[in-house]
Amino acid sequence: MTWDWNAVGDFMPHFWDGLLVTLQALALGSVIAFALGLVWALLMRTPTRWVRWPVGVVTEFVRNTPLLVQLFFLFYVLPEWNITFSALTTGVVAIGLHYSTYTMQVYRAGIEGVPAGQWEAATALSLPVRRTWTAVILPQAIRRVVPALGNYVIAMLKDTPMLMTITVLEMLGEARLYSQQHFQFTEPLTVIGVAFILISYPASLLLRALERHLVR
C-alpha cells in the first residue's frame, strides 16, 4: 500500500464541505443543548410535582436511549406524522436534545454548588425570585460549570459522524462517499482522523486552561 498525495488533494474540497457542515451542526447543537439543558434544570427545581415528574421522565428516557435511535426516530418516524425537517436540521435537533439531558445535570450541580449564604443574602435583600436567579445564582452557577459544558461540546463533535446515517454529509460522510466513488479509503479516512484530533485535542487543552483560570 502506498500513500497517494493526489488522492488527498482531490479529497480536500470535499473535506472542507464536510468540515463546514460538521461545525454548523456542532454550533447549533451546542446552542440547543446549553439552552434546553438550563430549562430542564430550572424546571426540575420547581415545587410542582406535575412539572418535575414529566421532565424527569422525558430526560431520563432521552439520556438512556442511544443517540442513533433518536436520529432514526426523528428522521424516519416523524414524517409518518407529517412532521418533516431537513436531514441537517433533524441531526442538529437530535444532538441538541440528547446532550441537553447531560447539560441539565451539569447545571443542576452548578446551582446546588452555590453557597447557601448567597440564597440567604438574596432573601435578606428581598430580591424578587427572577432577580435572585438572574443576578445572583445563575452567574455563579454557570461560571462553575463552563469547563464541564465544554467537555460536552467535544463529545458532540465526536458524535457528529452519526449524522451520516441520515444522509448528512459531514466530514466522515464526505470521506465515505469519496472512498466509495474512487475506491480509495486510506487517504480520506486518515485526513478525517487527523482533523478530529486537530480540533478536539487543542479544545481539550483550552478547557483545562479555562478550568484553572475559573477556579482561582
Side-chain angles (χ1 to χ4, degrees), residues 6-16 171 174-175 178 188 191-192:
N6 290 328
V8 175
D10 290 341
F11 172 66
M12 289 310 294
H14 303 278
F15 165 77
W16 294 119
M171 286 195 295
E174 290 283 3
Y178 179 89
V191 169
I192 297 304

Side-chain angles (χ1 to χ4, degrees), residues 57-106:
V57 170
V58 169
T59 54
E60 284 295 325
F61 176 81
V62 172
R63 186 165 57 248
N64 289 284
T65 53
L67 174 59
L68 187 59
V69 173
Q70 295 164 19
L71 280 168
F72 280 9
F73 183 88
L74 294 177
F75 190 69
Y76 293 109
V77 176
L78 288 187
E80 296 183 3
W81 300 344
N82 295 320
I83 303 175
T84 57
F85 302 103
S86 68
L88 180 58
T89 300
T90 301
V92 167
V93 171
I95 288 178
L97 177 62
H98 184 80
Y99 276 93
S100 72
T101 61
Y102 292 96
T103 59
M104 175 192 75
Q105 300 293 351
V106 174

Side-chain angles (χ1 to χ4, degrees), residues 99-131:
Y99 276 93
S100 72
T101 61
Y102 292 96
T103 59
M104 175 192 75
Q105 300 293 351
V106 174
Y107 285 124
R108 186 161 67 175
I111 292 170
E112 293 175 353
V114 175
Q118 299 295 310
W119 296 90
E120 295 169 358
T123 302
L125 293 172
S126 300
L127 291 181
V129 174
R130 179 178 297 180
R131 181 68 175 167

Side-chain angles (χ1 to χ4, degrees), residues 137-160:
I137 304 303
L138 288 181
Q140 296 183 64
I142 292 176
R143 183 176 184 272
R144 295 167 180 267
V145 302
V146 166
L149 293 176
N151 288 331
Y152 281 116
V153 174
I154 296 175
M156 279 186 270
L157 171 66
K158 295 177 182 178
D159 276 346
T160 54

Side-chain angles (χ1 to χ4, degrees), residues 40-56:
W40 296 141
L42 295 177
L43 289 177
M44 288 297 290
R45 293 186 63 87
T46 61
T48 306
R49 177 187 175 189
W50 298 111
V51 173
R52 296 196 314 271
W53 185 81
V55 171

